[in-house]
Every structure is written in C-alpha cells, then in structure tokens.
Amino acid sequence: MKPKLGLIGLGNIGEPMCRQLIKGGYEVSVYDVGSEAVAQLEDTAAEPAASPKALASVADVVLLSLPNSAVVEEVVLGEDGLLESLSAGKVVIDTSSSKPSSTRTISERLAEAGIDMLDAPVSGGVIKAREGTLAVMVGGRREVFERCSPILRAFGGQIFFVGDHGAGHLAKALNNLLSATTLASAAEAVILAERAGLSPDLFVEVINASNGRSYSTEVKFPKYILDRSFDDGFATALMSKDLKIALEAAAEIDFPMLIGSTVAQVWQAAVAQGNGAKSHTQIYAFLEDVTGSRDAETKAP
C-alpha cells in the first residue's frame, strides 16, 4: 500500500505538486495558513487538516513547501508542530528552498525521535510543477531517499541524490544563484540593446541562436518579460533569499563569491526598492529604472 501523505504549504508550487501526488494515487492531507489556498483543492480528493500537528497524526510522510527556513523550523519544531505528533519511522520531506545549516539542525532533532528527513528542493517553476516534471535535488540518508523515490517521482521529472542532509538545499541555492545571474545579466544586455535602437524581441532571438543563450533568454524572456506580463509566480524576495543562502554557505567554508556577491546585491537592491513581492522577472523593469531606460526618449546616439 502507498503511504499516506501530508502536504503543508499550498502556494504556487505546493498546490500543483499536491495535484500531481493525488494523480499518482496517493491519499493527501493538506494544510495551509490561508483558507483560500486550501479551497483551491476543493475539486480534488485532498483532505484538509486543522493544523500541522493534526496532519502529522494521520500521515506517514509529510512534505513541506514553505517560504523559508524560519517557517520550516516553526512548522516542524514549534508549538503544535510536526515533532509533537510524528512517531518513529515517519519521514519529513522539505521541498522548500531552505538554509542547509537549518536543515541539518532540524534533521538532527527529528532523528532523536526516530524520524527521518530529506531535503528535496525543486526547480522548474510553476510550469514544470503543473506538468509534474520538476527537477528535485535530494539530501539525506540514501536508504530513505530510495524508499521515498516513488513519491518524488510523482511530481519530479528528474531526481538527483546529491549527498547528506543539507546538500539538496545547497544545490538549489547555487542553482538559483546561476539563474539570478543569467536573468539579471541578460536583462542588462537587452535593455542596452533597446536603448541603442535594437528591437528587444529580435535581439532575444539573436541571443537564443547564439552562445549567450540561457534558460532566462529561452523561456523567461518570451513568456514573461518581452510582453511585460511579469507573471511567472516566483517572487523577487524569494530569489534574493536564495542568493543569501548561497553566500552564507560559502562563508561557512571561507569560499570567496566574487561574482555571486555582486549579483546578490542587485537583487537585494530590488527588494529594498519595494519589489520583494513582485515577480522575479520584474528585475528587468527594476534595471530599466536604475539605468534610466524605461522612458528614455533617445534610443541611439
């Protein structure tokens, strides 16, 4: 029999992830602090739970899709949290983008109670979450990973076991560092091209036929930036948070992040200017403002 699942966090990734789990034949209890998030799943067999503690009492494996490590710690270790109700032999899978150091601390606390943990952050955004083809980076004990692999495959297209507790979250943070770098750099180049009189649409086509292409230019520009919809579903503040995680992990081992620290400052500045809740693809509009290009009357010298 398939294990009974619990899922806490029904945001832009958690909600479609839940649908994929149900589609895969799993019974899923769900919890979110927002009742409207739970209501989105009324057309499914998802079973609402009154609290994380109540959810943990009926689930064999609990998945988390939460904003940051502080929320994960509260849900797992806080009052009425998972630790108060989970019994030995159960598993917590954190698909959030969390700090590796926090993940290691949580896994140690859970292990004291005989509970296993995997950090299994995902990448691919809302599109791949809806398709059930997310990339999943997993850290933890290999035997637990192998036991839980069928669950991960319900929403993941490619599953990678990358190491011990925290390794998955480190891999995710570094991946997002690269994503943030290519997006900001491409935005700067396209803004300059338009300012100098080139068509941004045509210039992006040129990039994508050349060696400057990236996921940002191949997917994000055509879908979210060139039409200025900026509706990809991943907030600027979350991207900035992931960059901080990468820099903190580097600092722990005295590794200099010469390029990464500069990129992180760009995103931090965007958040500081009130863009934290906006889509991360709006970094394009932020850089337009910074360079005085949004309403520039002169496109070419």
Side-chain angles (χ1 to χ4, degrees):
M1 292 182 62
K2 293 186 175 182
K4 177 74 177 288
L5 306 182
L7 175 59
I8 300 176
L10 303 172
N12 290 327
I13 301 298
E15 185 262 343
M17 184 186 299
C18 182
R19 292 181 181 275
Q20 292 297 328
L21 290 167
I22 293 171
K23 182 179 177 181
Y26 289 97
E27 292 182 51
V28 187
S29 294
V30 296
Y31 175 81
D32 192 284
V33 292
S35 57
E36 66 282 359
V38 178
Q40 292 183 79
L41 293 167
E42 287 180 346
D43 62 329
T44 73
E47 303 169 9
S51 67
K53 183 178 179 179
L55 180 146
S57 67
V58 298
D60 301 306
V61 178
V62 178
L63 295 97
L64 309 176
S65 181
L66 299 169
N68 54 55
S69 290
V71 178
V72 173
E73 290 178 10
E74 180 62 26
V75 167
V76 178
L77 306 177
E79 185 176 353
D80 290 328
L82 299 179
L83 189 56
E84 293 187 8
S85 191
L86 285 173
S87 57
K90 295 190 176 184
V91 181
V92 173
I93 302 177
D94 183 16
T95 70
S96 320
S97 296
S98 301
K99 296 180 181 179
S101 57
S102 173
T103 299
R104 290 190 290 269
T105 298
I106 294 172
S107 66
E108 290 170 1
R109 289 283 303 277
L110 290 172
E112 292 172 359
I115 302 162
D116 282 303
M117 180 178 182
L118 295 174
D119 47 298
V122 298
S123 182
V126 175
I127 295 173
K128 290 196 174 184
R130 289 172 178 166
E131 295 173 348
T133 58
L134 290 163
V136 189
M137 297 146 264
V138 187
R141 293 200 299 132
R142 180 175 284 277
E143 54 266 39
V144 180
F145 162 70
E146 292 174 352
R147 176 158 41 103
C148 294
S149 287
I151 298 171
L152 302 176
R153 285 197 295 270
F155 55 82
Q158 296 187 78
I159 317 295
F160 302 92
F161 180 76
V162 294
D164 206 349
H165 297 291
H169 282 144
L170 175 60
K172 172 62 186 292
L174 295 177
N175 173 77
N176 276 15
L177 171 62
L178 292 173
S179 176
T181 301
T182 60
L183 179 55
S185 182
E188 191 172 61
V190 174
I191 292 167
L192 171 58
E194 184 177 15
R195 184 74 177 266
L198 277 65
S199 161
D201 297 71
L202 180 57
F203 182 56
V204 169
E205 285 189 41
V206 171
I207 294 171
N208 288 335
S210 309
N211 59 11
R213 67 188 181 277
S214 66
Y215 184 85
S216 291
T217 61
E218 292 180 334
V219 177
K220 295 180 184 180
F221 268 81
K223 284 185 174 292
Y224 309 118
I225 296 176
L226 293 175
D227 66 358
R228 306 191 73 84
S229 61
F230 303 125
D231 58 354
D232 60 277
F234 184 63
T236 298
L238 294 178
M239 180 65 88
S240 182
K241 179 262 299 182
D242 288 350
L243 302 188
K244 291 177 183 177
I245 290 174
L247 294 184
E248 289 172 4
E252 288 178 2
I253 59 173
D254 295 322
F255 183 86
M257 296 289 280
L258 304 180
I259 298 169
S261 59
T262 300
V263 173
Q265 288 181 20
V266 173
W267 290 87
Q268 186 176 351
V271 173
Q273 291 297 313
N275 298 292
K278 297 177 181 178
S279 155
H280 81 292
T281 49
Q282 281 204 340
I283 195 72
Y284 187 88
F286 168 74
L287 289 172
E288 283 182 317
D289 289 339
V290 168
T291 58
S293 300
R294 184 175 307 215
D295 297 312
E297 294 181 1
T298 302
K299 298 296 185 181

